[in-house]
Amino acid sequence: MTPPLSRTNAEAHLYMDLHPCPCGESRFPRQSSVIALDDGDLASRYTGACAGCGQDREFIFRLPATIGGAGTGFRYGGDEPSQLLDPGEWLLVADAYAGSVPADSTAGEAGQRARAALTRAVAALDEVGKFIPAGGDSVPQGAIVSDRGRQLHQREPGRFRRDRLVAVRDAYAGLLSTLS
């Protein structure tokens, strides 16, 4: 089986965090290495023992053929949609990061945590938008392949519309600008 493509380390780590051990624990000390696949492509291999039960864990992600430009700001990937997470999962990630921002988080360590969380929430919303076809107004239902994503879409299909995604992203970015 061909390992899935991970566009960045941040995307790979997020994927691992969202796929816990059968015991339910997602944390494990991650040792990483670059390996050659049978077809000659390179991959990142993450290994470690589950922090909960000690079971060995391993994740292998294909590396992109070319590394994208550094750009500005935090990003989970390039212009192409993720192969690791579907748009529903990205929306849930954005919700989790935004929901972790305390109401009074303008200074000090709380401000730093709030900026990091909102930065990641904005980046996750950007990832959702990459699934909307050019000229389209919403994420196609067929792009949502995870159980979590389908459940979210079933409950709140309007959240996958471009205009709503842009409005929420702009609100998070606006709040982020007040924290900088």
Side-chain angles (χ1 to χ4, degrees):
M1 184 169 151
T2 302
L5 175 71
S6 173
R7 301 164 300 159
T8 63
N9 288 337
E11 183 181 35
H13 282 278
L14 178 61
Y15 178 87
M16 291 184 281
D17 291 344
L18 294 175
H19 291 84
C21 177
C23 78
E25 179 62 59
S26 62
R27 293 175 300 126
F28 69 99
R30 298 167 185 171
Q31 301 296 317
S32 66
S33 59
V34 175
I35 61 171
L37 299 172
D38 291 340
D39 63 5
D41 283 350
L42 296 178
S44 288
R45 178 178 180 250
Y46 296 90
T47 59
C50 173
C53 69
Q55 179 176 321
D56 287 336
R57 305 205 60 212
E58 177 185 62
F59 291 87
I60 298 175
F61 303 103
R62 183 175 297 275
L63 293 172
T66 58
I67 304 298
T72 58
F74 180 84
R75 293 177 54 153
Y76 284 106
D79 295 335
E80 69 285 349
S82 175
Q83 293 180 20
L84 293 180
L85 302 175
D86 75 11
E89 291 172 306
W90 283 114
L91 195 50
L92 290 167
V93 166
D95 290 349
Y97 276 123
S100 73
V101 176
D104 183 24
S105 56
T106 57
E109 193 174 312
Q112 290 174 346
R113 283 194 308 274
R115 282 189 293 281
L118 284 171
T119 296
R120 282 160 177 72
V122 167
L125 287 171
D126 289 341
E127 292 299 324
V128 178
K130 294 175 187 178
F131 287 89
I132 300 174
D137 62 355
S138 66
V139 172
Q141 190 170 353
I144 305 166
V145 297
S146 70
D147 289 339
R148 291 181 278 223
R150 283 192 294 265
Q151 289 169 7
L152 178 60
H153 188 270
Q154 186 176 20
R155 283 191 316 269
E156 301 177 77
R159 293 191 65 201
F160 292 83
R161 289 191 342 252
R162 183 186 307 271
D163 59 345
R164 288 219 17 215
L165 291 166
V166 168
V168 172
R169 186 207 183 279
D170 289 350
Y172 292 168
L175 182 56
L176 182 58
S177 71
T178 67
L179 298 175
S180 298

